[in-house]
Amino acid sequence: MERLLDIKNLKTSFFTHVGEVKAVRGVSFHLDKGEALGIVGESGSGKSITMMSVMRLLADNGKIVDGEIWFDGRDLASLSENEMQKIRGNEIGMIFQDPMTSLNPVLTVGDQLTEPLLKHKKMPKEEAYKRAVEMLRLVGIPSPEKRIKQYPHEFSGGMRQRVMIAMALINEPKLLIADEPTTALDVTIQAQILELMKDLKSKINTSIILITHDLGVVADVCNRINVMYGGLIVETGKTSDIFYNPKHPYTWGLLRSVPNPKTLVKERLKPIDGQPPDLLKPPAGCPFAPRCEYAMRVCMTHMPPLFEVGENHKAACWLNHPDAPKVEAPVGRRHE
Amino acid sequence: MMENKKALISIKNLKMYFPIKKGLFGRQVSYVKAVDDVSFEIMKGETLGLVGESGCGKTTTGRTIIKLYEPTSGEIIYDGVDIAKFTPNQMLPYRKKMQMIFQDPYASLNPRMTVADIIGEAIDIHKLMTGKERMERIHYLLNVVGLNSEHANRYPHEFSGGQRQRIGIARALAVQPEFIICDEPISALDVSIQAQVVNMLEDLQRDFGLTYLFIAHDLSMVKHISNRVGVMYLGKMVELAESNELYTKPLHPYTQALLSAIPIPDPDEAMSKKRIVLEGEIPSPIDPPPGCRFKGRCKYAKPICSEQDPVFKDVGGGHMVACHLY
Ligand SMILES: Nc1ncnc2c1ncn2[C@@H]1O[C@H](COP(=O)(O)OP(=O)(O)OP(=O)(O)O)[C@@H](O)[C@H]1O
Ligand SMILES: Nc1ncnc2c1ncn2[C@@H]1O[C@H](COP(=O)(O)OP(=O)(O)OP(=O)(O)O)[C@@H](O)[C@H]1O
Ligand code: SF4
Ligand SMILES: [Mg+2]
Ligand SMILES: [Mg+2]
């Protein structure tokens, strides 16, 4: 398979009045053409900032401090803003996590949807409007001809999210970055959007990076999964490996936290106790150690490397060291 | 289970229409019928889940109940008093009793206020506490939602999506309300924190006797937290039942499709699962079709479905449904 994106040792920080927030602390991964990669993990672990770094859309106080971002033969980390503008909304489409702040409240939905077509494709206005209406229909907005003339605040939360999706897809990008694209959608429309993404993947070989908290969504769409914690990738592998043979205690906690949709008795949910690390003073050892019930002495002082635990399956946990005690995962068996 | 409980809120024939203005002179030509004749009760101390298609009117229902919108018509009876036509002044005591956790944490937090100010604002408006006591309460609330005291002096943009949602929850809890509308309170959170927040909401409910209206798209979580669940479709309530009953015996064809589309966190099952795919154009709340609003997408539709609006009725044991099949 052909490589589309190759991220090497990415480090991104925010410089605030209280110090340097190390949001992404050395992240490496790749994506092939036509592949769908899921990114899951703790809130605040750097999922969005990793992808905002790729898009070079960091806040003013944010900076890529190290690393390379190879996209289709170019290192995005070193491109000029001018060159980046030709890539954004054209070769890379992004669905942002917060639809309301990324839609312009004073422009109609139609004006915003047609912008990428007018700007990058130099399409005549009338044709662009037709395409925009068609796109709104594809993402399941009823009466698109009428809706296109309205402003974002006249749309429901989920409808705004679908406008964002339409906007990201309208130029048929090579890479679609979708940050929590379906959180505000009901499951039937979610299913429809996921089908639309899978379609793009198979028809025009679009590669997808899907950031989501919904393990059901990654299970359905993604070929591979990165699990992030404390600004790092702590586990990466094929979807089936992450679900059925997870090798990191954080991944175990994640899989254990979701309610079983089939149970009829009300069981208390099992969250992971404790707090994520403070990225102002990231710990020297494993970032998960203070919350980990399996933590050993080495975990507090030494950062675990990404151990090779299977084919294309890696986990950054000392339990995978040959000398570590053998622990059985409390989750992740295949259902009979 | 809930029969012997008293209703805290009784909604009767609630309607909320938004006018759409068109053209240069802004003449009203039509309405978005966001909530169109909806009636239900929320019992004291219960959690009522509310699910349904995006844009079907869940948020509008919530916002109208706490009178962020002026209802077009209908009654909102809170603890025996119809507040539907109350003036802002008359509403003031109710503003403390009823709180809302908003769907959009980004837009609902003032970017120029620190987290402490955001949470403290409600305490100040209702003159609940001052000085050290107020600050202690703010720190306590931050801890309750899994943030720490050091976060108090930071600004919303310095937080991740999930962290911002927790600030919104702390703000809603600040005034010790009786009733909280949770509009997608957990969809921006990762699953482990979702579990924390849901456990927290359950503990607060047990300790303070809170009543919740819980709006969400995550049907597994809604089932987990709710005593009863209501399903809305295009401005109407189409089904309402005790939650295990609804999930095991869904009656309305829309509810059946909805439940079949729950994403299963298991790759093997996801591969083999059969979804009921809804065909047909999603009708618009601007010109809702006559008769049952689901008929264009319903595989069981009969002639009567195009003629008559089905009545929302009890088909046994408090299981309510609006469908001509029953
Ligand atoms: N502008 C900023 N200034 C300072 N810190 C920031 C800024 N933006 C983000 N951060 C911090 O960077 C870290 C990573 O944030 P990011 O948005 O990537 O999290 P995330 O994994 O996407 O979380 P979520 O699932 O909640 O969206 C967080 O700890 C956040 O507080
Ligand atoms: N302020 C407003 N002005 C005009 N129309 C509105 C307004 N608020 C909501 N609407 C319309 O009312 C309908 C219901 O919207 P609402 O936000 O209640 O949906 P929802 O069920 O909460 O959807 P979601 O799950 O996507 O959040 C939609 O068609 C929406 O476009
Ligand atoms: S390295 Fe140690 S602390 Fe970290 S997850 Fe593994 S066992 Fe737990
Ligand atoms: Mg994020
Ligand atoms: Mg809503």
Side-chain angles (χ1 to χ4, degrees), chain A residues 43 98 100 142-143 146 158 162 183-187 190 213 220 244 262-264 266-269 272 275 334-335, chain B residues 53-54 104 106 146 160 187 189-192 196 199 202-203 217 223-224 244 258 263 266-269 275 282 284 287:
Chain A
S43 167
D98 46 348
M100 212 39 193
S143 316
K146 283 187 190 150
R162 278 177 280 166
T183 37
L185 303 181
D186 63 282
V187 289
Q190 169 169 291
H213 291 304
D220 187 17
Y244 301 130
K262 289 183 199 135
T263 176
L264 288 183
K266 195 169 161 137
E267 293 163 359
R268 200 168 162 84
L269 299 175
I272 304 168
Q275 304 278 323
R334 250 196 169 89
H335 295 260
Chain B
E53 189 143 88
S54 163
D104 197 337
Y106 313 94
S160 74
S187 50
L189 308 178
D190 65 86
V191 288
S192 158
Q196 267 176 32
N199 283 352
E202 287 176 346
D203 291 347
H217 288 303
K223 168 161 176 277
H224 172 86
N244 279 342
L258 197 64
D266 185 319
D268 286 352
E269 269 191 62
R275 286 202 190 97
I282 302 165
S284 154
D287 321 287

Short mmCIF file of all heavy atoms in Angstrom, two decimals, chain A residues 43 98 100 142-143 146 158 162 183-187 190 213 220 244 262-264 266-269 272 275 334-335, chain B residues 53-54 104 106 146 160 187 189-192 196 199 202-203 217 223-224 244 258 263 266-269 275 282 284 287:
data_model
loop_
_atom_site.label_atom_id
_atom_site.label_comp_id
_atom_site.label_asym_id
_atom_site.label_seq_id
_atom_site.Cartn_x
_atom_site.Cartn_y
_atom_site.Cartn_z
N SER A 43 -9.57 12.19 27.43
CA SER A 43 -9.80 13.59 27.12
C SER A 43 -8.58 14.40 27.55
O SER A 43 -8.06 14.21 28.64
CB SER A 43 -11.03 14.04 27.90
OG SER A 43 -11.15 15.42 27.88
N ASP A 98 -15.62 21.20 17.34
CA ASP A 98 -16.63 22.17 17.78
C ASP A 98 -17.26 22.90 16.60
O ASP A 98 -16.74 23.89 16.14
CB ASP A 98 -16.03 23.17 18.76
CG ASP A 98 -14.69 23.71 18.27
OD1 ASP A 98 -14.14 23.14 17.32
OD2 ASP A 98 -14.22 24.72 18.82
N MET A 100 -19.74 24.85 16.21
CA MET A 100 -20.23 26.23 16.28
C MET A 100 -19.10 27.24 16.15
O MET A 100 -19.27 28.28 15.55
CB MET A 100 -21.01 26.46 17.58
CG MET A 100 -22.12 27.48 17.41
SD MET A 100 -22.97 27.35 15.82
CE MET A 100 -23.89 28.87 15.81
N PRO A 142 -32.76 17.55 5.52
CA PRO A 142 -33.97 17.67 4.72
C PRO A 142 -34.15 19.09 4.14
O PRO A 142 -33.62 20.04 4.69
CB PRO A 142 -35.09 17.34 5.70
CG PRO A 142 -34.51 17.55 7.05
CD PRO A 142 -33.03 17.41 6.95
N SER A 143 -34.91 19.18 3.06
CA SER A 143 -35.14 20.43 2.32
C SER A 143 -33.85 21.24 2.16
O SER A 143 -33.79 22.41 2.55
CB SER A 143 -36.15 21.36 3.01
OG SER A 143 -37.25 20.67 3.46
N LYS A 146 -33.89 24.90 0.85
CA LYS A 146 -34.31 25.97 1.75
C LYS A 146 -33.26 26.19 2.83
O LYS A 146 -32.94 27.31 3.18
CB LYS A 146 -35.62 25.58 2.43
CG LYS A 146 -36.81 25.74 1.54
CD LYS A 146 -38.10 25.52 2.33
CE LYS A 146 -39.26 25.44 1.34
NZ LYS A 146 -40.33 24.59 1.82
N GLY A 158 -26.80 18.77 15.74
CA GLY A 158 -26.41 17.71 14.82
C GLY A 158 -26.43 18.17 13.37
O GLY A 158 -25.64 17.70 12.54
N ARG A 162 -23.39 18.20 10.61
CA ARG A 162 -23.46 17.65 9.25
C ARG A 162 -23.04 18.68 8.21
O ARG A 162 -22.51 18.32 7.17
CB ARG A 162 -24.87 17.12 8.98
CG ARG A 162 -25.03 15.73 9.57
CD ARG A 162 -26.41 15.21 9.38
NE ARG A 162 -27.32 15.75 10.37
CZ ARG A 162 -28.63 15.67 10.27
NH1 ARG A 162 -29.18 15.09 9.23
NH2 ARG A 162 -29.37 16.17 11.22
N THR A 183 -20.57 12.79 17.23
CA THR A 183 -21.03 12.82 18.62
C THR A 183 -22.39 13.46 18.79
O THR A 183 -23.13 13.10 19.68
CB THR A 183 -20.07 13.61 19.54
OG1 THR A 183 -19.59 14.71 18.81
CG2 THR A 183 -18.97 12.74 20.02
N ALA A 184 -22.73 14.44 17.93
CA ALA A 184 -24.01 15.12 18.12
C ALA A 184 -25.11 14.50 17.25
O ALA A 184 -26.18 15.06 17.12
CB ALA A 184 -23.87 16.61 17.81
N LEU A 185 -24.82 13.35 16.65
CA LEU A 185 -25.80 12.79 15.73
C LEU A 185 -26.48 11.57 16.33
O LEU A 185 -25.88 10.81 17.07
CB LEU A 185 -25.10 12.36 14.44
CG LEU A 185 -24.34 13.47 13.73
CD1 LEU A 185 -23.72 12.95 12.45
CD2 LEU A 185 -25.27 14.63 13.42
N ASP A 186 -27.74 11.39 15.97
CA ASP A 186 -28.40 10.18 16.41
C ASP A 186 -27.84 9.01 15.62
O ASP A 186 -27.26 9.18 14.55
CB ASP A 186 -29.90 10.30 16.21
CG ASP A 186 -30.22 10.44 14.77
OD1 ASP A 186 -30.05 11.54 14.24
OD2 ASP A 186 -30.61 9.43 14.14
N VAL A 187 -28.04 7.81 16.16
CA VAL A 187 -27.37 6.66 15.58
C VAL A 187 -27.77 6.34 14.14
O VAL A 187 -26.95 5.82 13.39
CB VAL A 187 -27.54 5.40 16.46
CG1 VAL A 187 -26.72 5.55 17.73
CG2 VAL A 187 -28.98 5.11 16.77
N GLN A 190 -25.82 8.80 12.18
CA GLN A 190 -24.43 8.42 12.36
C GLN A 190 -24.09 7.27 11.41
O GLN A 190 -23.07 7.31 10.73
CB GLN A 190 -24.20 8.00 13.80
CG GLN A 190 -22.87 7.35 14.03
CD GLN A 190 -22.58 7.19 15.52
OE1 GLN A 190 -22.37 8.15 16.23
NE2 GLN A 190 -22.58 5.97 15.98
N HIS A 213 -14.64 9.06 20.76
CA HIS A 213 -14.74 8.39 22.05
C HIS A 213 -15.61 7.16 21.93
O HIS A 213 -15.73 6.39 22.87
CB HIS A 213 -15.38 9.32 23.08
CG HIS A 213 -14.50 10.46 23.43
ND1 HIS A 213 -13.24 10.25 23.92
CD2 HIS A 213 -14.66 11.78 23.36
CE1 HIS A 213 -12.67 11.42 24.14
NE2 HIS A 213 -13.51 12.37 23.80
N ASP A 220 -16.50 -0.22 13.93
CA ASP A 220 -17.21 -0.33 12.67
C ASP A 220 -16.38 0.16 11.48
O ASP A 220 -16.40 -0.44 10.42
CB ASP A 220 -18.52 0.49 12.78
CG ASP A 220 -19.41 0.29 11.58
OD1 ASP A 220 -19.19 -0.69 10.83
OD2 ASP A 220 -20.31 1.11 11.37
N TYR A 244 -9.54 -7.33 21.08
CA TYR A 244 -9.53 -8.70 21.59
C TYR A 244 -8.23 -9.11 22.26
O TYR A 244 -8.16 -10.15 22.89
CB TYR A 244 -9.85 -9.68 20.45
CG TYR A 244 -11.18 -9.42 19.80
CD1 TYR A 244 -11.29 -9.31 18.42
CD2 TYR A 244 -12.33 -9.27 20.58
CE1 TYR A 244 -12.52 -9.06 17.82
CE2 TYR A 244 -13.54 -9.01 20.00
CZ TYR A 244 -13.64 -8.91 18.62
OH TYR A 244 -14.85 -8.66 18.05
N LYS A 262 -26.55 -4.74 26.33
CA LYS A 262 -27.51 -5.84 26.41
C LYS A 262 -28.01 -6.15 27.81
O LYS A 262 -28.99 -6.84 27.99
CB LYS A 262 -26.89 -7.10 25.80
CG LYS A 262 -26.76 -6.99 24.30
CD LYS A 262 -26.21 -8.26 23.73
CE LYS A 262 -25.66 -8.02 22.35
NZ LYS A 262 -24.36 -8.67 22.19
N THR A 263 -27.32 -5.63 28.81
CA THR A 263 -27.67 -6.03 30.17
C THR A 263 -29.01 -5.44 30.60
O THR A 263 -29.37 -4.34 30.20
CB THR A 263 -26.56 -5.63 31.17
OG1 THR A 263 -27.02 -5.97 32.47
CG2 THR A 263 -26.27 -4.15 31.13
N LEU A 264 -29.74 -6.19 31.41
CA LEU A 264 -31.01 -5.69 31.91
C LEU A 264 -30.91 -5.27 33.36
O LEU A 264 -31.76 -4.58 33.88
CB LEU A 264 -32.11 -6.74 31.75
CG LEU A 264 -32.58 -6.98 30.31
CD1 LEU A 264 -33.72 -7.97 30.28
CD2 LEU A 264 -33.00 -5.70 29.62
N LYS A 266 -29.07 -3.15 36.29
CA LYS A 266 -28.29 -1.92 36.32
C LYS A 266 -27.01 -2.13 37.11
O LYS A 266 -27.05 -2.35 38.31
CB LYS A 266 -29.15 -0.82 36.93
CG LYS A 266 -28.58 0.53 36.68
CD LYS A 266 -29.59 1.59 37.06
CE LYS A 266 -28.86 2.88 37.24
NZ LYS A 266 -29.54 4.00 36.65
N GLU A 267 -25.88 -2.11 36.42
CA GLU A 267 -24.60 -2.24 37.11
C GLU A 267 -23.95 -0.86 37.15
O GLU A 267 -24.10 -0.09 36.23
CB GLU A 267 -23.66 -3.16 36.32
CG GLU A 267 -24.10 -4.58 36.24
CD GLU A 267 -23.36 -5.32 35.13
OE1 GLU A 267 -22.54 -4.70 34.43
OE2 GLU A 267 -23.63 -6.51 34.97
N ARG A 268 -23.21 -0.62 38.22
CA ARG A 268 -22.49 0.64 38.27
C ARG A 268 -21.36 0.60 37.24
O ARG A 268 -20.72 -0.44 37.04
CB ARG A 268 -21.91 0.86 39.66
CG ARG A 268 -21.58 2.31 39.92
CD ARG A 268 -21.31 2.52 41.40
NE ARG A 268 -20.60 3.78 41.60
CZ ARG A 268 -21.20 4.95 41.69
NH1 ARG A 268 -22.51 5.04 41.57
NH2 ARG A 268 -20.50 6.05 41.87
N LEU A 269 -21.14 1.71 36.55
CA LEU A 269 -20.09 1.76 35.54
C LEU A 269 -18.72 1.74 36.21
O LEU A 269 -18.59 2.11 37.37
CB LEU A 269 -20.24 3.01 34.68
CG LEU A 269 -21.55 3.11 33.91
CD1 LEU A 269 -21.64 4.46 33.19
CD2 LEU A 269 -21.70 1.98 32.91
N ILE A 272 -12.08 4.77 35.15
CA ILE A 272 -10.69 4.66 35.61
C ILE A 272 -10.52 5.73 36.68
O ILE A 272 -10.72 6.91 36.39
CB ILE A 272 -9.72 4.91 34.45
CG1 ILE A 272 -10.02 3.95 33.29
CG2 ILE A 272 -8.28 4.78 34.92
CD1 ILE A 272 -9.31 4.30 32.00
N GLN A 275 -6.72 11.05 38.17
CA GLN A 275 -6.63 12.17 37.24
C GLN A 275 -5.54 11.93 36.20
O GLN A 275 -4.52 11.34 36.52
CB GLN A 275 -6.24 13.44 38.00
CG GLN A 275 -7.14 13.80 39.15
CD GLN A 275 -8.37 14.53 38.67
OE1 GLN A 275 -8.28 15.32 37.74
NE2 GLN A 275 -9.50 14.27 39.27
N ARG A 334 -12.66 -12.40 23.02
CA ARG A 334 -13.66 -12.48 21.98
C ARG A 334 -14.93 -13.09 22.55
O ARG A 334 -14.88 -14.01 23.35
CB ARG A 334 -13.15 -13.39 20.87
CG ARG A 334 -12.81 -12.66 19.61
CD ARG A 334 -12.68 -13.62 18.44
NE ARG A 334 -12.61 -12.83 17.23
CZ ARG A 334 -11.48 -12.38 16.71
NH1 ARG A 334 -10.32 -12.63 17.28
NH2 ARG A 334 -11.50 -11.66 15.60
N HIS A 335 -16.08 -12.51 22.16
CA HIS A 335 -17.34 -13.08 22.64
C HIS A 335 -17.61 -14.37 21.90
O HIS A 335 -17.32 -14.50 20.73
CB HIS A 335 -18.49 -12.11 22.39
CG HIS A 335 -18.34 -10.86 23.19
ND1 HIS A 335 -19.00 -10.64 24.36
CD2 HIS A 335 -17.54 -9.78 23.00
CE1 HIS A 335 -18.64 -9.48 24.85
NE2 HIS A 335 -17.76 -8.93 24.04
N GLU B 53 -33.92 11.44 16.44
CA GLU B 53 -33.14 11.95 15.33
C GLU B 53 -32.64 13.37 15.58
O GLU B 53 -33.32 14.17 16.22
CB GLU B 53 -34.06 11.95 14.12
CG GLU B 53 -33.39 12.23 12.84
CD GLU B 53 -34.03 11.38 11.75
OE1 GLU B 53 -35.00 11.82 11.16
OE2 GLU B 53 -33.53 10.28 11.49
N SER B 54 -31.48 13.65 15.05
CA SER B 54 -30.95 15.01 15.14
C SER B 54 -31.93 15.99 14.51
O SER B 54 -32.46 15.75 13.44
CB SER B 54 -29.62 15.04 14.39
OG SER B 54 -29.27 16.35 14.11
N ASP B 104 -23.53 22.44 23.65
CA ASP B 104 -22.36 22.97 22.99
C ASP B 104 -21.46 23.67 24.02
O ASP B 104 -21.63 24.83 24.30
CB ASP B 104 -22.82 23.97 21.93
CG ASP B 104 -21.72 24.26 20.94
OD1 ASP B 104 -20.55 24.06 21.31
OD2 ASP B 104 -22.04 24.67 19.82
N TYR B 106 -18.56 24.73 23.94
CA TYR B 106 -17.69 25.78 23.43
C TYR B 106 -18.43 27.11 23.42
O TYR B 106 -17.95 28.12 23.90
CB TYR B 106 -17.24 25.46 22.01
CG TYR B 106 -16.77 24.06 21.92
CD1 TYR B 106 -17.63 23.05 21.53
CD2 TYR B 106 -15.47 23.74 22.30
CE1 TYR B 106 -17.19 21.75 21.49
CE2 TYR B 106 -15.04 22.44 22.26
CZ TYR B 106 -15.90 21.45 21.85
OH TYR B 106 -15.48 20.17 21.82
N GLY B 146 -14.09 16.21 38.43
CA GLY B 146 -12.83 15.63 37.99
C GLY B 146 -11.82 16.62 37.43
O GLY B 146 -10.95 16.25 36.64
N SER B 160 -9.37 21.12 26.90
CA SER B 160 -9.81 20.25 25.82
C SER B 160 -11.33 20.20 25.84
O SER B 160 -11.97 20.65 26.79
CB SER B 160 -9.24 18.85 26.03
OG SER B 160 -9.94 18.20 27.07
N SER B 187 -21.41 13.56 25.59
CA SER B 187 -20.97 13.09 24.28
C SER B 187 -19.58 13.60 23.93
O SER B 187 -18.91 13.02 23.10
CB SER B 187 -21.98 13.45 23.20
OG SER B 187 -22.32 14.80 23.29
N LEU B 189 -17.11 13.61 26.01
CA LEU B 189 -16.16 13.05 26.97
C LEU B 189 -15.67 11.69 26.53
O LEU B 189 -16.37 10.97 25.84
CB LEU B 189 -16.83 12.92 28.34
CG LEU B 189 -17.52 14.16 28.88
CD1 LEU B 189 -18.16 13.85 30.21
CD2 LEU B 189 -16.53 15.30 29.01
N ASP B 190 -14.46 11.34 26.96
CA ASP B 190 -14.02 9.98 26.64
C ASP B 190 -14.74 9.01 27.56
O ASP B 190 -15.25 9.39 28.61
CB ASP B 190 -12.50 9.84 26.74
CG ASP B 190 -12.00 10.03 28.13
OD1 ASP B 190 -11.98 9.04 28.89
OD2 ASP B 190 -11.65 11.16 28.47
N VAL B 191 -14.78 7.76 27.14
CA VAL B 191 -15.67 6.80 27.80
C VAL B 191 -15.38 6.64 29.29
O VAL B 191 -16.30 6.44 30.08
CB VAL B 191 -15.67 5.42 27.12
CG1 VAL B 191 -16.40 5.50 25.81
CG2 VAL B 191 -14.27 4.89 26.92
N SER B 192 -14.11 6.75 29.67
CA SER B 192 -13.82 6.59 31.09
C SER B 192 -14.40 7.76 31.88
O SER B 192 -14.97 7.57 32.96
CB SER B 192 -12.31 6.50 31.27
OG SER B 192 -11.98 6.83 32.58
N GLN B 196 -17.36 8.18 34.74
CA GLN B 196 -17.22 8.99 35.96
C GLN B 196 -18.38 9.96 36.11
O GLN B 196 -18.96 10.09 37.18
CB GLN B 196 -15.93 9.83 35.89
CG GLN B 196 -14.72 9.21 36.51
CD GLN B 196 -13.50 10.11 36.29
OE1 GLN B 196 -13.59 11.33 36.22
NE2 GLN B 196 -12.35 9.49 36.17
N ASN B 199 -21.69 8.16 36.81
CA ASN B 199 -21.71 7.74 38.22
C ASN B 199 -21.95 8.94 39.12
O ASN B 199 -22.71 8.87 40.10
CB ASN B 199 -20.39 7.07 38.61
CG ASN B 199 -20.30 5.63 38.08
OD1 ASN B 199 -21.28 5.10 37.56
ND2 ASN B 199 -19.14 5.03 38.19
N GLU B 202 -25.49 10.05 39.01
CA GLU B 202 -26.31 9.10 39.78
C GLU B 202 -26.14 9.34 41.29
O GLU B 202 -27.12 9.29 42.04
CB GLU B 202 -25.94 7.66 39.42
CG GLU B 202 -26.45 7.27 38.03
CD GLU B 202 -26.02 5.87 37.59
OE1 GLU B 202 -25.12 5.27 38.22
OE2 GLU B 202 -26.58 5.38 36.61
N ASP B 203 -24.91 9.60 41.73
CA ASP B 203 -24.67 9.87 43.16
C ASP B 203 -25.38 11.15 43.60
O ASP B 203 -26.01 11.18 44.66
CB ASP B 203 -23.17 10.02 43.44
CG ASP B 203 -22.44 8.70 43.28
OD1 ASP B 203 -23.12 7.65 43.21
OD2 ASP B 203 -21.20 8.71 43.22
N HIS B 217 -27.50 10.89 22.51
CA HIS B 217 -27.57 10.01 21.34
C HIS B 217 -27.02 8.64 21.65
O HIS B 217 -27.19 7.71 20.87
CB HIS B 217 -26.80 10.62 20.19
CG HIS B 217 -27.49 11.79 19.61
ND1 HIS B 217 -28.77 11.71 19.12
CD2 HIS B 217 -27.13 13.08 19.47
CE1 HIS B 217 -29.14 12.89 18.69
NE2 HIS B 217 -28.17 13.75 18.90
N LYS B 223 -29.92 4.18 28.22
CA LYS B 223 -30.56 3.03 28.85
C LYS B 223 -30.01 2.83 30.25
O LYS B 223 -30.75 2.57 31.20
CB LYS B 223 -30.30 1.78 28.01
CG LYS B 223 -30.66 0.48 28.69
CD LYS B 223 -30.80 -0.59 27.64
CE LYS B 223 -31.07 -1.94 28.24
NZ LYS B 223 -29.85 -2.61 28.69
N HIS B 224 -28.70 2.98 30.37
CA HIS B 224 -28.07 2.77 31.68
C HIS B 224 -28.60 3.75 32.72
O HIS B 224 -28.91 3.38 33.85
CB HIS B 224 -26.56 2.90 31.56
CG HIS B 224 -25.88 2.90 32.89
ND1 HIS B 224 -25.52 1.74 33.53
CD2 HIS B 224 -25.55 3.91 33.73
CE1 HIS B 224 -24.99 2.04 34.69
NE2 HIS B 224 -24.98 3.35 34.84
N ASN B 244 -35.96 -0.67 30.28
CA ASN B 244 -35.75 -2.05 29.82
C ASN B 244 -36.85 -2.48 28.84
O ASN B 244 -36.58 -3.16 27.85
CB ASN B 244 -35.74 -3.02 31.00
CG ASN B 244 -34.38 -3.04 31.68
OD1 ASN B 244 -33.39 -2.59 31.10
ND2 ASN B 244 -34.35 -3.52 32.91
N LEU B 258 -33.91 2.81 15.20
CA LEU B 258 -32.93 3.49 16.05
C LEU B 258 -32.12 2.47 16.86
O LEU B 258 -30.89 2.50 16.88
CB LEU B 258 -33.69 4.43 16.98
CG LEU B 258 -32.95 5.53 17.68
CD1 LEU B 258 -32.40 6.52 16.67
CD2 LEU B 258 -33.88 6.26 18.65
N PRO B 263 -24.17 1.46 17.59
CA PRO B 263 -22.88 0.87 17.25
C PRO B 263 -22.37 0.00 18.39
O PRO B 263 -22.37 0.41 19.54
CB PRO B 263 -21.96 2.08 17.03
CG PRO B 263 -22.67 3.26 17.56
CD PRO B 263 -24.08 2.90 17.88
N ASP B 266 -17.58 -3.86 19.41
CA ASP B 266 -17.05 -5.20 19.23
C ASP B 266 -16.94 -5.42 17.72
O ASP B 266 -17.96 -5.52 17.04
CB ASP B 266 -18.03 -6.20 19.86
CG ASP B 266 -17.50 -7.62 19.82
OD1 ASP B 266 -16.91 -8.01 18.80
OD2 ASP B 266 -17.68 -8.34 20.81
N PRO B 267 -15.70 -5.48 17.19
CA PRO B 267 -15.53 -5.52 15.73
C PRO B 267 -16.24 -6.70 15.06
O PRO B 267 -16.80 -6.54 13.98
CB PRO B 267 -14.02 -5.63 15.54
CG PRO B 267 -13.40 -5.24 16.83
CD PRO B 267 -14.43 -5.41 17.90
N ASP B 268 -16.23 -7.88 15.69
CA ASP B 268 -16.89 -9.03 15.07
C ASP B 268 -18.38 -8.80 14.93
O ASP B 268 -18.97 -9.04 13.88
CB ASP B 268 -16.68 -10.30 15.91
CG ASP B 268 -15.26 -10.82 15.78
OD1 ASP B 268 -14.52 -10.29 14.93
OD2 ASP B 268 -14.90 -11.75 16.53
N GLU B 269 -18.99 -8.30 16.03
CA GLU B 269 -20.43 -8.04 15.97
C GLU B 269 -20.76 -6.92 15.02
O GLU B 269 -21.78 -6.95 14.33
CB GLU B 269 -20.96 -7.70 17.38
CG GLU B 269 -21.42 -8.92 18.12
CD GLU B 269 -22.18 -8.54 19.38
OE1 GLU B 269 -23.23 -7.90 19.25
OE2 GLU B 269 -21.69 -8.91 20.47
N ARG B 275 -28.48 -3.77 10.35
CA ARG B 275 -29.16 -2.53 10.70
C ARG B 275 -30.42 -2.41 9.88
O ARG B 275 -30.46 -2.81 8.74
CB ARG B 275 -28.28 -1.33 10.32
CG ARG B 275 -27.13 -1.12 11.23
CD ARG B 275 -26.68 0.32 11.12
NE ARG B 275 -25.43 0.46 11.82
CZ ARG B 275 -24.25 0.44 11.22
NH1 ARG B 275 -24.17 0.33 9.91
NH2 ARG B 275 -23.15 0.55 11.91
N ILE B 282 -35.85 12.39 4.60
CA ILE B 282 -36.20 12.82 5.95
C ILE B 282 -37.10 14.04 5.81
O ILE B 282 -36.71 15.02 5.20
CB ILE B 282 -34.94 13.20 6.75
CG1 ILE B 282 -33.99 12.00 6.81
CG2 ILE B 282 -35.31 13.67 8.15
CD1 ILE B 282 -32.60 12.36 7.23
N SER B 284 -39.16 17.48 6.56
CA SER B 284 -38.67 18.69 7.20
C SER B 284 -39.69 19.19 8.19
O SER B 284 -40.89 19.11 7.96
CB SER B 284 -38.44 19.72 6.10
OG SER B 284 -38.54 21.00 6.63
N ASP B 287 -42.34 21.86 6.67
CA ASP B 287 -43.64 21.48 6.13
C ASP B 287 -43.90 20.04 6.53
O ASP B 287 -43.78 19.15 5.71
CB ASP B 287 -43.66 21.54 4.60
CG ASP B 287 -42.89 22.72 4.07
OD1 ASP B 287 -43.40 23.83 4.21
OD2 ASP B 287 -41.78 22.51 3.52
#
